[in-house]
Amino acid sequence: MTETTQDPRSIARDAAAEAAQDAQLVGDFVESIDMDGGVTDFRFVALNRGYEGWQWSAMLYHDVELDRWTVNETTLIPTDAALRPPAWVPWKDRLTAADLSVTDSIGTEPDDPRLEDGFRRTAPSLEKDPFDAQPSNVQSSAEESSDANPSDPAQDSGTSQGPAGEENGTNAAQTAAAADSGSEEAEPAASQSDVDEMVEEFDLSRRHVMSLLGRSETAKRWYEGPRGPKSLSTKTAAGKVCSTCGFFIPLKGDLNVLFGVCANKWSPDDGRVVSIDHGCGEHSEIEPPETAPLWVQSEPAFDDLHIDVVAQAPREERSEVELIEKLTDTDDLEPAATDARSEEHRAAIGETDVAAASDANAAELQGTAPLSEISEEASDNE
C-alpha cells in the first residue's frame, strides 16, 4: 500500500492511471463520495473504448492524525447510462420449447406451480356420531307423549297452551329437526356421487393434475399463439371460425369455453388445439368450387415446335465481335473444303491403282505362254 501526503485528487488520478496502464484513458474528475471509516471514493470519466458511461473509481483512506492518504483500490464502475451487457438469465429460464428436440427432456420440478395433487379417496370414519341417535330418541319421545294424551283435542290440533302445549311444541320442533337431519344426510350422499362422477369424467385420480395457474397459462399461450384469433389464416377466413365448423371437437373442463381440436384432414391445423374464434380457411360449410363441363385446352406458353430466324442488325460499335464471328464461320467451312479435297485425292489414287492393276494383268498374260509350252513338253515326255 502506498502512503503519501499529496493532494488526494491527484493521488486518486495517479492510481486510476496506473490501473488503466495509460493516463490518457482517465478523463475529467466527476465527484468524490465520502464513505464510512474515513474512506473517500474519487470518480473519473473512463475513456476506454467500449466503456461508454463507465467511471474510474479510486478509493482512498484518510488518516486524520497523520494527515495522509492511502490508496485502497481502483476499479471500473458502471453508471446508469453505462453500456452494459444484458442481465444474465439462468439456462433454465431462457430455455424455450422450440430449443428442445424429441429426444430432449428437462423433467418437472416437484414444486412446479402448474401442478397440484390429484384426487385421493379417503376411508369413512368408523366412529359413530353421537347426534345420529337423536332422531330415534325424538321419535320415541313424541310417540310417548302422543300415547299419554290420546284424547286431547288441543294436542291433536297442535294449538294447546300451557305446559302440555309447550311440551308438544318442543316435540314437534324436535321432529322437524330430525327430518332436517335426515335430509342433510341424504345431501352428502348425492354430492358424493357427483364427486365420483367428476373424478371419473376428468380422470382426477392421477398423481398430479393441472392447477388453476397451469390452466390459465396454457389458455393464454394457446390463445396468443398461431392458432388463435390473431393468426393470418383467421383474417383471411372471411368469418368462417372454428366454433361453427363441423370438424371442431370441443375440449372438456374449463378449457372447453375457448378451445377445441381440429379434425379436418385438409386443414393445416388438423390434430391441433385451436380457439373457437380461429379460422383456417377449410371450414366445413365452404362449398367446393364449380368445375367446368368441358376441358378447354389453352395455348402453350412456349412454342418449341418452330424456330424463328431473326436477322441480326450490324453492330458497328462491336466490330471485333463481328470479326470473331466471321473467323468462326470460316473455320466451320474449312472442314467441308478439306473433305472435298480428300475425295479428289482418293479418286486420283483410285485411277492410279486401276492402271497399275491393268499393267500387272498384262504382264501376267505375257508370261503365261512359256509356261504352257513347258507343260506340253512335260506331258509328251511322259
Side-chain angles (χ1 to χ4, degrees):
M1 299 176 66
T2 306
E3 295 183 359
T4 181
T5 57
Q6 298 178 359
D7 180 31
R9 185 179 299 182
S10 301
I11 299 173
R13 177 177 291 276
D14 295 339
E18 182 180 358
Q21 299 181 356
D22 188 353
Q24 296 181 356
L25 299 179
V26 181
D28 299 334
F29 174 76
V30 179
E31 62 178 345
S32 60
I33 304 173
D34 294 333
M35 307 179 71
D36 296 338
V39 178
T40 305
D41 184 7
F42 294 88
R43 298 291 184 90
F44 301 89
V45 177
L47 302 179
N48 303 57
R49 181 177 298 179
Y51 284 82
E52 290 80 1
W54 288 64
Q55 295 178 353
W56 283 105
S57 171
M59 304 188 68
L60 277 64
Y61 170 73
H62 183 215
D63 189 344
V64 179
E65 296 180 356
L66 301 177
D67 193 17
R68 290 183 179 180
W69 292 87
T70 304
V71 179
N72 286 352
E73 63 176 349
T74 54
T75 184
L76 277 170
I77 296 180
T79 61
D80 296 337
L83 179 62
R84 305 176 65 183
W88 182 81
V89 180
W91 170 82
K92 186 177 181 181
D93 296 338
R94 67 174 180 267
L95 187 67
T96 61
D99 299 330
L100 301 179
S101 64
V102 293
T103 58
D104 295 331
S105 176
I106 61 173
T108 305
E109 296 291 339
D111 56 347
D112 194 325
R114 300 173 300 169
L115 298 176
E116 62 184 5
D117 294 337
F119 179 79
R120 295 290 183 274
R121 185 182 298 278
T122 57
S125 177
L126 300 178
E127 296 182 0
K128 193 172 183 179
D129 192 351
F131 294 99
D132 292 344
Q134 182 177 359
S136 60
N137 295 338
V138 172
Q139 184 177 2
S140 300
S141 61
E143 292 176 355
E144 291 176 359
S145 62
S146 61
D147 294 342
N149 301 316
S151 61
D152 192 352
Q155 181 180 357
D156 296 339
S157 61
T159 58
S160 61
Q161 298 179 357
E166 294 176 357
E167 182 180 358
N168 294 337
T170 302
N171 294 336
Q174 293 175 352
T175 304
D180 294 341
S181 176
S183 63
E184 291 177 356
E185 290 178 356
E187 288 179 359
S191 62
Q192 184 63 35
S193 63
D194 295 341
V195 170
D196 294 341
E197 182 180 357
M198 184 178 298
V199 170
E200 182 178 358
E201 181 179 0
F202 298 104
D203 194 13
L204 300 179
S205 60
R206 292 167 291 169
R207 182 177 181 181
H208 290 98
V209 295
M210 291 194 70
S211 62
L212 178 60
L213 176 62
R215 295 194 298 272
S216 300
E217 291 180 352
T218 301
K220 182 179 179 182
R221 185 174 63 254
W222 286 351
Y223 198 76
E224 296 178 353
R227 292 166 187 86
K230 298 180 181 179
S231 63
L232 180 60
S233 60
T234 304
K235 298 178 181 179
T236 59
K240 301 290 186 179
V241 294
C242 295
S243 59
T244 58
C245 181
F247 299 105
F248 180 77
I249 303 177
L251 297 179
K252 287 185 177 181
D254 50 2
L255 295 177
N256 178 303
V257 180
L258 288 176
F259 302 102
V261 178
C262 178
N264 187 358
K265 67 176 183 179
W266 301 114
S267 171
D269 300 328
D270 179 35
R272 302 178 184 273
V273 177
V274 295
S275 64
I276 59 175
D277 48 358
H278 173 71
C280 66
E282 292 293 340
H283 199 275
S284 61
E285 307 306 322
I286 297 178
E287 298 180 358
E290 297 182 0
T291 58
L294 297 177
W295 177 263
V296 179
Q297 178 65 41
S298 61
E299 295 294 334
F302 179 76
D303 185 8
D304 57 351
L305 300 179
H306 302 83
I307 299 176
D308 298 334
V309 179
V310 180
Q312 187 175 8
R315 293 172 291 184
E316 299 178 356
E317 68 280 1
R318 299 179 62 186
S319 57
E320 296 84 358
V321 176
E322 293 192 3
L323 179 60
I324 294 174
E325 292 178 353
K326 291 180 180 180
L327 294 175
T328 304
D329 295 340
T330 304
D331 295 339
D332 294 338
L333 294 176
E334 286 182 356
T338 304
D339 295 339
R341 290 193 297 269
S342 300
E343 291 293 338
E344 295 177 357
H345 179 67
R346 284 194 296 270
I349 294 175
E351 294 177 356
T352 305
D353 294 340
V354 171
S358 300
D359 296 339
N361 293 332
E364 183 179 357
L365 291 174
Q366 293 176 359
T368 54
L371 293 175
S372 59
E373 294 177 358
I374 294 172
S375 60
E376 288 179 358
E377 293 176 359
S379 60
D380 293 337
N381 294 328
E382 291 177 358

